[in-house]
């Protein structure tokens, strides 16, 4: 979708907000390179469409403590937040179970579902991926779940972080997509 500030202002007006509204975006200021600058850029884009936007970039320890303050059944402190998530396995269902699956503390679902998003059909797709043993069918189910989550804007991915590693000539490392550098993944070069 193209960036269209005039079109966005028109949609806001049609929705009953001809003068926009106030919005605060909370984000981390020290979690990854450029996180606060990226949040400022998002704030400027929201301001360009007529929203009175404030950006609050705080240390990660403060951000995550405050982000978790809403708790199950209580309103979250943040109405809009920007943060980063990576899975240790690289499997999309792991991230979706944490970020957009209906909150169910007993099952460990939705632990970081800060917006309280809930979609029984998405939950069912994710449940099926957990029990499907055929790789092809599991991948197809996972793709359906990703499409459903994105179609419903359960979260809005804004960017993907790229990482770089420097190694001594005598060593090799196969990087992980989650950006973790594990000593067990470093080997002598052959």
């Amino acid at each position: 979708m193209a960036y269209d500030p005039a079109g966005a202002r028109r949609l806001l007006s049609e929705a009953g907000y001809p003068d926009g509204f106030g919005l605060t975006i909370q984000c981390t200021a020290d979690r990854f390179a450029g996180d606060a600058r990226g949040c400022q850029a998002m704030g400027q884009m929201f301001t360009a469409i007529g929203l009175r936007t404030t950006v609050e970039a705080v240390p990660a320890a403060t951000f995550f403590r405050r982000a978790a303050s809403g708790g199950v059944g209580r309103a979250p402190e943040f109405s809009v937040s920007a943060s980063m998530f990576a899975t240790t396995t690289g499997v999309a269902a792991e991230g979706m179970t944490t970020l957009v699956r209906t909150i169910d503390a007993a099952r460990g679902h939705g632990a970081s579902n800060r917006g309280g998003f809930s979609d029984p059909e998405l939950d069912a797709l994710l449940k099926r991926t957990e029990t499907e043993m055929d790789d092809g069918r599991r991948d197809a189910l996972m793709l359906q779940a990703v499409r459903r989550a994105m179609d419903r804007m359960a979260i809005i991915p804004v960017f993907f972080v790229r990482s770089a590693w420097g190694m001594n000539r005598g060593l090799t490392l196969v990087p992980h997509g989650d950006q973790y550098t594990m000593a067990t993944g470093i080997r002598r070069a052959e």
Side-chain angles (χ1 to χ4, degrees), residues 60-133:
T62 301
F63 174 87
F64 288 110
R65 179 182 45 76
R66 288 177 58 199
S69 69
V72 177
R74 294 194 313 261
E77 180 177 342
F78 301 162
S79 58
V80 176
S81 65
S83 63
M84 181 171 125
F85 186 85
T87 69
T88 54
T89 62
V91 175
E94 180 183 338
M96 288 190 294
T97 290
T98 301
L99 296 172
V100 298
R101 201 162 182 176
T102 300
I103 297 170
D104 183 340
R107 289 188 170 92
H109 300 164
S112 293
N113 183 346
R114 295 188 188 103
F117 181 81
S118 181
D119 178 6
E121 190 170 324
L122 176 62
D123 294 342
L125 284 166
L126 291 170
K127 184 175 183 175
R128 288 176 55 201
T129 65
E130 294 170 342
T131 58
E132 179 56 62
M133 299 305 287

